[in-house]
Amino acid sequence: MGNGPCPCKFLLGIEGQDAPATVTVTGPNDETTFTGTINFSAEQCFTGGPMCNPAVNNFEIAFEANNGDTINFTDGRRGTIACFDNTLATLMDGTAQATGNVLDGNFTVDFSYTIDPATDEATIVIMAIGEDGTVFQTIFDAPISPQTFIGDCDETVGP
């Protein structure tokens, strides 16, 4: 795939917008594990036609723990993206703003989204590191959204 800000394009999501997940938050002096539901979406360089658009640059993560705690990453912007075999999309060194009642501040975010074509499920791995060294981590599986697409810039959506 090509180089530059848009070596490929992807539109990622999870069906139903919520999946069960376990999240670990490691701070300077403690580690807390949360169980709840997560929503994940990412749109990088995506167009439905044969091209990539560098202005398309967003990802969001919203986690709600069973105890009511929330962790959100908003205003997500890409660092470096890559796509492989139309089944794997990655983002490294992205940035996002943490909100909710557990974390706040600026975070560097890495994620991978791997599709199993046999089941139309994705395995999603997310790690975010705050300016103070706090680490957010999760790995979860979820059905892919019908709109999910991973591909080269010259690929188009649909038949």
Side-chain angles (χ1 to χ4, degrees), residues 50-142:
M51 64 176 277
C52 284
N53 182 352
V56 177
N57 181 14
N58 188 44
F59 66 88
E60 292 187 6
I61 302 160
F63 175 77
E64 183 172 348
N66 293 337
N67 68 359
D69 285 332
T70 59
I71 302 170
N72 304 305
F73 292 98
T74 61
D75 300 323
R77 298 294 175 253
R78 76 175 157 264
T80 302
I81 65 169
C83 306
F84 304 94
D85 296 330
N86 300 93
T87 59
L88 170 63
T90 64
L91 178 137
M92 301 295 291
D93 296 324
T95 58
Q97 179 68 39
T99 63
N101 65 343
V102 176
L103 301 175
D104 63 9
N106 296 316
F107 278 70
T108 299
V109 180
D110 299 339
F111 66 74
S112 67
Y113 184 103
T114 307
I115 298 171
D116 179 343
T119 62
D120 279 340
E121 290 219 344
T123 299
I124 302 159
V125 179
I126 303 168
M127 184 168 76
I129 302 173
E131 293 175 328
D132 66 354
T134 298
V135 178
F136 168 101
Q137 299 181 89
T138 187
I139 299 172
F140 64 97
D141 295 323

Side-chain angles (χ1 to χ4, degrees), residues 28-43:
N29 300 315
D30 62 346
E31 181 174 288
T32 306
T33 300
F34 301 92
T35 302
T37 58
I38 195 165
N39 187 10
F40 170 85
S41 64
E43 188 173 8

